[in-house]
Amino acid sequence: MSATTYPNYSPGLQGVIAGITTISEIDVETSSLTYRGINVHELAEHAVFEETAYLLLMGKLPNKSELAEFKARISNESVLPNEVIAALKQCPKNMHPMDRLKVAYSMLGAFDADYRAEPTDHEANVRKAVRIVAKAANAVAAAHRISEGLEPIQPSPELGIAGNFMYMLKGEKPDEFVIKVMDASLTLYAEHGYNASTFASRVTVATLSDLYSGIVSGIGTLKGPLHGGANEEAMYMLMEIDKMGDVAKWTHDALAQKKKIMGFGHREYRIGDSRAAYMSKLGKEIGKRVGDTHWGDIAEVMEKIMWDEKKLFPNIDFPSAYAYYLLGIPIPLYTPIFVVARTTGWCAHMIEQLDNNRLIRPTCIYEGPKVTEFVPIDQR
Ligand code: ACO
């Protein structure tokens, strides 16, 4: 019997309501996204990433003094212990940056001053969340530099998370425009309801495990190309198309071969992902500034064909890919940047889960062999 004939079964849990949240709302009809009731575009346009982080973790936007205090906390907590740096130096050369991040966060839990706190201690969980968010940009940049045989660069206290990420990566202070792009990008990537990685981190802490274990689950889940890994795959695809030189032919051929085109489609949205529209605007602006608009041009042709032929639209991972490329960020770091942003959403969800916890344990339909007699080993 085909599994899809069961009336209460939804493959991939599509459409299944798995919880109640006050963190973000996706409006599928209008393709809009709000964090705690505030439109994500307003945040991307007018706020730095730390304001979004505060909003997600504390439940409200900070005022000026709260933001200053929060930024100081982030700055103080951003340094990685020497032992974590040493462990990153032991990682195999071919290890993907997402796997290096799992190494870092697996260790960081034990360095947290609240390591032994009760899993449902709300205040301790908020303190842990701030430490988790604070260290993410440093962990990504340090792991990358170490993998390149370079020494990590300490974060600069004058810069926020967005600016520090670029500074720790390249060793040069980024200009205001680059900081603005990174702030907006981190803001857009920060939170998105019960997506696969957030759900994985909620499932992890619902067993009364800890936030750091949930972060490791989140990173492992985000890594796949059907989720966060799509931004890296989208860039490799754009490079392949650029090399071939005929974007329309490439796209038509790929569709004819029923290839999954990375950076298109979404489980929730039906008519478009508004984050992609915002990121695409930024990507094209970066293109103009650096004098390379051809990635935006390729993207536009592809987007039109994908919509005309399949009613598929770009998700945020598609324009992010060429935006990051134009900023000179190495491709294997695109999904780790997603982690820097999403630590906020993951932590907000894990805290929400633990504040009103119940073990998450669904059920399944058995289609294996009927009960048969056990045959002792010497008679098989
Ligand atoms: N390219 C080509 N066809 C697609 C694409 C795509 N990107 N996305 C969906 N389709 C087609 C499928 O082939 C399928 O067609 P069929 O019914 O003829 O078999 C149909 O649309 C439904 O696709 P599903 O994969 O079943 O849809 P689902 O809701 O499970 O998947 C997903 C959503 C995983 C995002 C899918 O659109 C996809 O694989 N996209 C590419 C990967 C990607 O960009 N992931 C990033 C998601 S957003 C994020 O994580 C920030």
Side-chain angles (χ1 to χ4, degrees), residues 247-307:
V247 51
K249 182 172 166 24
W250 191 97
T251 313
H252 285 298
D253 286 354
L255 287 177
Q257 290 161 24
K258 296 209 168 296
K259 271 193 191 160
K260 265 278 166 85
I261 302 192
M262 292 297 141
F264 283 83
H266 200 273
R267 172 60 69 78
E268 293 281 296
Y269 296 120
R270 285 293 151 251
I271 53 166
D273 175 350
S274 71
R275 301 169 303 169
Y278 193 97
M279 226 24 235
S280 154
K281 199 178 77 182
L282 281 182
K284 288 184 181 134
E285 205 176 323
I286 306 167
K288 276 190 204 139
R289 285 188 181 238
V290 303
D292 179 1
T293 52
H294 91 291
W295 298 110
D297 297 339
I298 294 177
E300 237 170 59
V301 177
M302 261 192 109
E303 286 169 18
K304 182 163 176 7
I305 298 170
M306 290 296 284
W307 182 255

Side-chain angles (χ1 to χ4, degrees), residues 4 93 125 134 137 188 197 241 244 250 270 277 279 284 287 327 342 345 356 375:
T4 49
K93 190 107 192 77
N125 283 337
L188 295 171
S197 57
I241 295 170
M244 180 196 171
W250 191 97
R270 285 293 151 251
M279 226 24 235
K284 288 184 181 134
L327 290 179
R342 193 55 65 87
N356 187 18
V375 181

